[in-house]
Amino acid sequence: RLMQVRWSRYNPSFLEPEVNKELYQKPLEELTEEEREQMELKAVRPIKAAPPSLSSSVFSDPMVSKFTNMMMKEGNKVLARSLMTQTLETIKRKQLEKYHKAPENEKETIECNPYVIFHQALKNCQPIIGLSNITKGGKTYQVPVPLKDNRKRFLAMKWMITECRENKHRRTLMPEKLSQELLLAFNNEGPIIKKKHALHKMAEANRAYAHFRWW
Amino acid sequence: EIQWGEDGRPFHFLFYTGKQSYYSLMHVTFEKLLNVQKYQDQLIAQDLPLQKEKRNLAGSRWLTKIELEEMLLEKLSDDDYSRFIQLLQKLVALPGSDIEEKYIQKFSKEVPVQMQKVVIEPLQHDERGVAFSTGEGRRKTASATAVVYDNGTGKMTVNGIGILHYFPVLQDSREQLLFPFQFLGRVGKHDAVCTVSGGGRSAQAGAIRLACARALRSFVTEKEVEFMRQAGLLTVDPRVKERNKPGQEGPRRKFTWKKR
């Protein structure tokens, strides 16, 4: 009999909570078929408690909280959160400096919202295709494999954090280095984008082994 | 029970698999699946529309492993059971599965939809005529009680201290405290006086959040209570610290493996 190692305190019939206020204020007619089914299911099944990082206010963003959790060391959420807010602040400052120095016609192209920059930068860093090790006939080959959305987001965030922790001068602080990297990624430059392109090139080079994949 | 004849040949053709009833069940179900596919093909050939009747997802559940074992009079493994359920789900997902409804109903059970009806307490009024209501909440060893008053300015007091002083650093916990109010759109309209004990910073914040959400039920329509429940505000968080096990250092971490 298999012993479950990854289990949760909730019964498997519990559903995930939906925090977005606007979805609840939509009138019934505007919902699609699937959403109606979802609503009926939710009316009957019990629902898990909302985790402490999730809230319906405008300031909570699931992507940002995921990134903060990944940056956190030894459970020090306070420090991770403050680093994140400082990073967003530095991004805003840098962009505002650029904005005030730029001539009139370029002022509209400069993006000042740090959340937009964060999302766009991470989106630019996401690889489309990944490599996985498949053993066939005694030899291990690197086979190009399509990645799921979650995996892409995780890889982008992981590369960002490792890049900022390792390749920096001893005296620069994390928020400054992170904001630098995010701005470079926003413009499709920088070491993380290079890493993504290197991965794509490896996948293209190993195209011959693509038929080894059975899923 | 003897499953072979006088000459030693078994009666059932799948006897030598070891799990004859399970495999015969899988064969029969797969045959039904193929029938449904054939029926679908016929409908497409005659250009008739494929009807999809919505099965009541919410009201029925599949048989559990123990019930299936009783039905088949054989032991099953978890893997076998999950494969069978996957096959049934595949059968149900096809549009033409209406012809096999009877067969599917043998393996599904009605779940009583009645969930525990929670009694919402009516509002109480204190000496000055201000309406208030109480709520209790727990999270991970922290327990809190909240008294939410109407016609307020949005001030919140915890153990006699304001929230800005009680939770000095964490923005997360302050967001959590205001979550129920912000969700209902009543941020500046209620006053709250809370008492909390036990747990840590985050646990106390979660306990107060639950207590406030429970107290707000009396101020709000039933539909909004349902919305709060679907947002996860009214469920008690069952996650607690896992116990340490003997033979290991912590709840999951094992002792350092030494080769010799």
Side-chain angles (χ1 to χ4, degrees):
Chain A
R1 233 199 102 135
L2 296 163
M3 268 311 290
Q4 321 272 17
V5 177
R6 272 203 291 172
W7 48 272
S8 85
R9 294 282 303 183
Y10 292 108
N11 196 331
S13 62
F14 274 65
L15 303 168
E16 297 293 325
E18 176 63 61
V19 178
N20 199 354
K21 252 204 295 193
E22 279 140 51
L23 285 178
Y24 292 117
Q25 278 155 8
K26 260 179 162 178
L28 271 172
E29 293 88 32
E30 285 179 30
L31 299 173
T32 57
E33 284 280 332
E34 289 174 357
E35 284 180 2
R36 260 175 246 232
E37 274 185 42
Q38 273 281 309
M39 283 238 333
E40 277 171 50
L41 195 60
K42 283 203 160 181
V44 190
R45 292 274 190 87
I47 303 198
K48 298 186 192 178
S53 47
L54 197 62
S55 134
S56 72
S57 79
V58 285
F59 300 113
S60 75
D61 188 17
M63 194 85 137
V64 171
S65 30
K66 198 74 173 186
F67 197 75
T68 349
N69 286 344
M70 285 178 79
M71 271 211 296
M72 171 165 70
K73 276 191 179 176
E74 289 166 18
N76 199 345
K77 181 80 137 238
V78 178
L79 187 60
R81 180 87 185 229
S82 64
L83 286 175
M84 195 69 215
T85 37
Q86 280 168 34
T87 319
L88 295 169
E89 202 193 310
T90 15
I91 292 179
K92 181 92 189 195
R93 277 184 202 270
K94 285 186 186 173
Q95 289 296 90
L96 278 177
E97 239 187 86
K98 255 172 82 176
Y99 184 83
H100 289 300
K101 282 188 197 167
E104 279 301 324
N105 47 350
E106 278 178 42
K107 278 202 173 176
E108 284 162 1
T109 51
I110 297 180
E111 182 60 54
C112 274
N113 189 351
Y115 290 98
V116 167
I117 293 183
F118 180 76
H119 284 265
Q120 189 57 44
L122 282 184
K123 212 168 163 183
N124 290 349
C125 286
Q126 284 178 10
I128 306 173
I129 194 171
L131 294 170
S132 102
N133 300 346
I134 296 188
T135 326
K136 192 149 177 175
K139 282 204 234 173
T140 339
Y141 300 99
Q142 297 273 350
V143 175
V145 137
L147 294 172
K148 282 196 196 165
D149 279 333
N150 285 343
R151 179 82 184 147
K152 288 182 197 169
R153 269 177 255 151
F154 170 76
L155 277 175
M157 293 199 259
K158 180 100 183 177
W159 288 343
M160 184 73 75
I161 294 175
T162 36
E163 175 65 41
C164 294
R165 280 184 185 161
E166 285 158 28
N167 295 358
K168 65 178 171 96
H169 186 66
R170 199 176 59 86
R171 298 278 276 178
T172 46
L173 296 169
M174 182 71 160
E176 214 201 283
K177 174 75 182 172
L178 235 192
S179 52
Q180 221 174 27
E181 292 298 334
L182 282 169
L183 285 166
L184 287 175
F186 180 68
N187 298 328
N188 272 318
E189 298 153 354
I192 306 166
I193 302 284
K194 268 199 214 165
K195 195 163 175 178
K196 173 182 98 150
H197 287 319
L199 183 63
H200 285 177
K201 275 188 205 152
M202 275 281 285
E204 187 61 38
N206 285 11
R207 226 174 118 156
Y209 303 125
H211 64 284
F212 283 167
R213 178 175 67 102
W214 63 84
W215 60 92
Chain B
E1 201 204 315
I2 302 183
Q3 289 163 334
W4 53 89
E6 282 178 356
D7 52 350
R9 281 190 77 190
F11 294 135
H12 203 283
F13 73 108
L14 290 170
F15 174 77
Y16 287 115
T17 57
K19 313 175 213 174
Q20 60 177 41
S21 27
Y22 167 70
Y23 282 113
S24 67
L25 180 74
M26 291 291 273
H27 273 291
V28 169
T29 324
F30 191 66
E31 211 184 295
K32 305 276 179 190
L33 192 90
L34 290 173
N35 272 354
V36 166
Q37 281 174 347
K38 221 162 98 178
Y39 175 68
Q40 267 184 307
D41 290 334
Q42 278 172 2
L43 283 184
I44 292 172
Q46 294 162 10
D47 282 330
L48 288 173
L50 293 166
Q51 293 140 343
K52 178 129 205 226
E53 269 177 38
K54 291 285 158 75
R55 286 192 90 247
N56 194 4
L57 278 176
S60 60
R61 61 168 178 89
W62 298 116
L63 286 184
T64 57
K65 185 170 163 252
I66 304 171
E67 286 165 6
L68 195 63
E69 277 183 1
E70 277 172 46
M71 204 165 124
L72 298 175
L73 301 170
E74 247 183 22
K75 288 272 178 190
L76 289 177
S77 78
D78 286 332
D79 206 27
D80 293 337
Y81 173 69
S82 55
R83 281 196 98 101
F84 179 60
I85 297 293
Q86 277 168 21
L87 193 58
L88 277 178
Q89 280 165 351
K90 209 169 154 182
L91 181 55
V92 163
L94 293 174
S97 61
D98 309 326
I99 31 173
E100 307 295 346
E101 261 311 311
K102 265 196 217 166
Y103 184 73
I104 296 170
Q105 269 164 18
K106 277 195 237 168
F107 300 106
S108 69
K109 267 200 176 172
E110 289 287 320
V111 167
V113 176
Q114 274 289 331
M115 292 218 293
Q116 301 135 338
K117 275 283 177 188
V118 187
V119 180
I120 304 177
E121 287 168 6
L123 291 172
Q124 296 153 12
H125 293 264
D126 76 350
E127 307 119 2
R128 272 173 290 164
V130 181
F132 72 94
S133 82
T134 42
E136 284 175 0
R138 267 182 207 271
R139 169 101 212 266
K140 232 207 227 181
T141 330
S143 54
T145 48
V147 185
V148 176
Y149 293 93
D150 210 354
N151 296 344
T153 45
K155 276 190 276 187
M156 281 182 76
T157 318
V158 180
N159 286 357
I161 311 173
I163 47 170
L164 287 176
H165 292 283
Y166 196 75
F167 294 111
V169 187
L170 292 171
Q171 311 106 304
D172 259 338
S173 40
R174 280 185 230 151
E175 250 184 57
Q176 286 297 294
L177 295 181
L178 291 164
F179 185 8
F181 300 101
Q182 206 266 341
F183 186 76
L184 298 166
R186 294 167 177 238
V187 176
K189 297 182 193 166
H190 294 280
D191 266 344
V193 176
C194 325
T195 48
V196 69
S197 64
R201 298 176 284 200
S202 210
Q204 285 183 343
I208 300 177
R209 181 186 94 181
L210 184 57
C212 288
R214 280 188 177 162
L216 279 172
R217 276 183 310 192
S218 346
F219 285 98
V220 147
T221 54
E222 268 191 32
K223 233 184 176 182
E224 297 202 296
V225 170
E226 180 58 31
F227 289 157
M228 275 217 285
R229 188 193 72 99
Q230 285 186 12
L233 277 171
L234 296 176
T235 5
V236 178
D237 206 327
R239 304 180 289 180
V240 286
K241 200 162 165 179
E242 208 175 313
R243 64 161 274 209
N244 291 11
K245 283 111 194 173
Q248 292 176 8
E249 201 173 300
R252 298 279 167 122
R253 164 150 167 97
K254 324 282 183 276
F255 289 130
T256 321
W257 180 73
K258 298 222 180 81
K259 198 159 176 179
R260 43 189 78 83

